[in-house]
């Protein structure tokens, strides 16, 4: 029997995660494509790392997810009917 569950990310809020200082997005669940663009070093990969961290936990290769000099940071994903939240303090520990 085919699984008909379908989940879409409808909101992204990233704060002080790696190179990202602040990004908030509202996404249309009916759209099938999201483009992330920008110059080198402006946080494109950091935004994707934040989404990955929210969904599966922080990968080992990310040793300090909090943006330099900030006391904490994290990511919140809206995936109706769920909200996924992953927050960090400067010591890298999850709150």
């Amino acid at each position: 029997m085919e699984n008909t569950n379908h989940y879409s990310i409808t909101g992204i809020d990233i704060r002080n995660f790696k190179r990202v200082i602040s990004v908030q997005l509202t996404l249309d669940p009916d759209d099938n494509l999201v483009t992330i663009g920008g110059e080198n070093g402006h946080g494109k990969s950091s935004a994707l790392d934040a989404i990955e961290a929210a969904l599966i936990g922080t990968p080992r290769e990310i040793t300090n997810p909090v943006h330099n000099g900030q006391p904490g940071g994290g990511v919140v994903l809206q995936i109706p009917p769920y909200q996924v939240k992953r927050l960090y303090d400067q010591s890298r520990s999850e709150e």
Side-chain angles (χ1 to χ4, degrees):
M1 187 169 197
E2 185 177 325
N3 184 352
T4 58
N5 290 339
H6 176 78
Y7 298 100
S8 296
I9 297 173
T10 60
I12 301 171
D13 186 353
I14 304 169
R15 310 250 177 169
N16 298 322
F17 189 94
K18 291 179 65 177
R19 288 190 174 267
V20 176
I21 295 171
S22 180
V23 170
Q24 295 85 40
L25 299 172
T26 301
L27 305 171
D28 184 341
D30 294 325
D31 288 345
N32 293 319
L33 178 67
V34 174
T35 302
I36 299 175
E39 295 181 23
N40 289 344
H42 280 100
K44 300 176 300 292
S45 295
S46 295
L48 294 174
D49 287 344
I51 294 167
E52 178 183 16
L55 293 174
I56 65 169
T58 308
R60 291 182 187 266
E61 62 269 12
I62 298 177
T63 57
N64 186 8
V66 178
H67 186 75
N68 291 338
Q70 299 300 316
V75 59
V76 178
L77 300 180
Q78 301 299 329
I79 307 173
Y82 306 103
Q83 180 184 71
V84 180
K85 185 183 294 188
R86 187 104 33 194
L87 303 175
Y88 302 92
D89 63 22
Q90 194 56 262
S91 70
R92 189 193 186 275
S93 60
E94 295 180 35
E95 296 177 352

